[in-house]
Amino acid sequence: MKPKTRALLILATGLLVAWQARAVETWAALREPGAVLIVRHAETVPGIGDPPGFRIDDCATQRNLSEAGRKQAVAMGRTLAERGVTVSKVESSRWCRCADTARLAFPQLPVAYLDALNSFFEDRSTAPAQTRALRARIAEWKGHGVLVLVTQQVNISALTGRATAMGQTVALR
């Protein structure tokens, strides 16, 4: 069963640029127990996917955040804090651009890796199992603050049916 998407919140360089009719509802939803915010990593250097032969354990072989993306990640965390959103847990894909987005946005929190958030851009055969695992993770979240999940576009699209640009988010409750 897909989690209900009650509101869509898009944060780009720290500014709310989403559907204004839903903005108030979305910010309120993020202050309620059990809220989940799925984040597509911040802006990267140009390209699609990763270079041939990249290694998950070596950031130098991956497509990483650009300077604008690093600023975007910091602004995202700052905007959530300014709006009174309490983030209590952050989980990320193992890709460096995701983990770096998480660390820059939420430097006060440890970042845990969740394999269900890992990209399946190169191998779509894992998409159904990862998406089921991600749905289960979202369904089990009962924390007092927001669970932030940082991942890639393919994962978000498989989960929600929505395309997201770099640095955009989807709020679920």
Side-chain angles (χ1 to χ4, degrees):
M1 170 181 285
K2 278 189 177 183
K4 283 188 172 182
T5 52
R6 293 279 301 146
L8 174 67
L9 168 68
I10 299 175
L11 294 171
T13 59
L15 301 175
L16 180 66
V17 295
W19 306 330
Q20 292 303 316
R22 296 280 194 150
V24 172
E25 179 184 345
T26 300
W27 287 115
L30 287 172
R31 290 184 203 100
E32 293 178 11
V36 177
L37 188 65
I38 302 172
V39 177
R40 182 171 175 197
H41 60 78
E43 291 181 34
T44 64
V45 297
I48 296 175
D50 285 290
F54 83 94
R55 294 190 325 269
I56 197 67
D57 61 342
D58 185 357
C59 293
T61 67
Q62 299 177 32
R63 200 177 87 229
N64 293 300
L65 296 181
S66 64
E67 181 59 31
R70 287 188 286 280
K71 290 177 183 175
Q72 182 182 43
V74 170
M76 182 185 303
R78 185 177 56 243
T79 298
L80 288 166
E82 288 170 355
R83 293 288 185 141
V85 175
T86 300
V87 175
S88 57
K89 185 153 182 73
V90 180
E91 297 176 353
S92 175
S93 158
R94 293 183 183 276
W95 266 248
C96 296
R97 57 187 169 268
C98 294
D100 289 346
T101 297
R103 285 187 198 102
L104 289 166
F106 310 103
Q108 73 282 12
L109 295 171
V111 176
Y113 292 121
L114 179 65
D115 288 340
L117 295 170
N118 288 343
S119 178
F120 46 77
F121 183 77
E122 297 287 328
D123 180 6
R124 304 290 170 121
S125 70
T126 65
Q130 282 184 240
T131 303
R132 279 192 304 275
L134 187 53
R135 284 188 181 127
R137 177 65 182 115
I138 291 166
E140 75 184 13
W141 176 250
K142 306 292 186 239
H144 70 281
V146 175
L147 168 64
V148 174
L149 303 171
V150 185
T151 190
Q152 287 91 354
Q153 186 273 328
V154 292
N155 302 70
I156 296 170
S157 292
L159 179 71
T160 67
R162 297 184 185 274
T164 53
M166 289 182 272
Q168 291 183 333
T169 67
V170 178
L172 303 175
R173 66 171 181 188

